[in-house]
Amino acid sequence: MKKLVLLCFIPLFLIGCSNEQTIQVSGVATDEEKRTEIEDLIRNMEDVYTGTAIMVEDEVLVAIQVKPWLGFKEQKVEKKLQKEIEEKYPDLNVVVSSDFKMHWETQKLLEEEDEKKVTDEVKKLKDLAKEET
């Protein structure tokens, strides 16, 4: 009986320990070089396991999720990533958020086709993120 329980739970445990990062960067009429560099900055953050960045004109909204056991550090990771992006691109207005709702909304915006709606939603989300802190 113990062997059966172990055989059932070990694969489930190993599946839950996946280290694969999912990073998506989208932009409306943005520079491809900036998009790839921002994606690399997010990917190089070891504590981030998923992230979404949306670039609209001179604004960047980045929503990240830190690894579950590092929840107590998510504010530090958020500030560190924001500082790195701002140092690399001082001409961009950057907001980085580790709020799950923000991540969820940015995921929905990736699928949106209407550029005007994406621009409006990014501005609303940036205002909400600033208000939250």
Side-chain angles (χ1 to χ4, degrees), residues 2-18:
K2 290 181 183 180
K3 289 181 183 179
L4 179 64
V5 171
L6 286 175
L7 288 175
C8 291
F9 285 112
I10 289 176
L12 291 175
F13 179 73
L14 292 175
I15 290 171
C17 294
S18 173

Side-chain angles (χ1 to χ4, degrees), residues 56-102:
V56 178
E57 297 165 4
D58 66 336
E59 298 184 15
V60 178
L61 174 63
V62 180
I64 59 170
Q65 292 294 299
V66 297
K67 294 178 181 175
W69 56 89
L70 297 174
F72 62 93
K73 281 179 48 176
E74 70 183 14
Q75 298 294 323
K76 289 181 183 179
V77 173
E78 187 178 302
K79 288 178 183 178
K80 182 179 175 185
L81 181 60
Q82 180 155 350
K83 185 178 176 183
E84 285 182 14
I85 295 174
E86 286 175 344
E87 285 176 357
K88 188 145 182 120
Y89 299 107
D91 59 321
L92 295 177
N93 299 325
V94 180
V95 173
V96 178
S97 177
S98 60
D99 183 25
F100 184 74
K101 170 91 176 181
M102 197 68 64

